[in-house]
């Protein structure tokens, strides 16, 4: 299982990003909530279809679950189309990863 959490900086001890598709980066955790990868968001400054592009990108990276403080309607629809679960939440990125890993187990 791969959990991608939207972040403003590549650190798991910071607050989750308020932005879903326009996050600066995504911290990717495994089913044990161990940080495995940091994905820079190459689409954050695009004008159109950001949610679709980011959903495609995360699907290519084999992400199973995405979390941000605010995902937005367009992004959630794009994630649904890719079969990626999504959860809105607030708090520290590392804590959210632990909670999601415990909640969803293995996908």
């Amino acid at each position: 299982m791969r959990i991608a959490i939207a972040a403003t900086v590549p650190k798991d001890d910071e607050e989750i990003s308020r932005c879903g598709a326009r996050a600066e980066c995504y911290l990717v955790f495994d089913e044990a909530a161990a940080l495995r990868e940091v994905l820079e968001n190459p689409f954050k400054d695009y004008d159109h279809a950001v949610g679709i592009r980011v959903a495609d990108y995360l699907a290519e990276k084999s992400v199973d679950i995405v979390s941000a403080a605010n995902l937005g309607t367009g992004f959630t629809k794009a994630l649904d189309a890719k079969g990626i679960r999504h959860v809105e939440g607030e708090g520290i990125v590392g804590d959210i990863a632990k909670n999601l890993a415990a909640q969803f187990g293995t996908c």
Side-chain angles (χ1 to χ4, degrees), residues 45-105:
D45 296 323
Y46 277 45
D47 289 332
H48 302 290
V50 175
I52 293 169
R53 289 182 170 114
V54 172
D56 287 343
Y57 176 62
L58 295 175
E60 289 172 9
K61 297 295 184 177
S62 301
V63 167
D64 300 294
I65 301 169
V66 175
S67 185
N70 181 9
L71 291 164
T73 305
F75 191 31
T76 57
K77 286 181 181 179
L79 292 169
D80 286 341
K82 293 293 178 181
I84 299 173
R85 294 178 183 178
H86 44 85
V87 178
E88 289 187 339
E90 295 190 13
I92 302 299
V93 170
D95 294 338
I96 293 167
K98 289 175 190 170
N99 291 338
L100 290 173
Q103 180 179 353
F104 290 101

Side-chain angles (χ1 to χ4, degrees), residues 30-54:
D30 64 15
E31 64 278 352
L35 180 60
R36 294 294 177 197
E37 187 175 8
V38 175
L39 301 174
E40 295 298 323
N41 183 355
F43 307 107
K44 67 181 184 292
D45 296 323
Y46 277 45
D47 289 332
H48 302 290
V50 175
I52 293 169
R53 289 182 170 114
V54 172

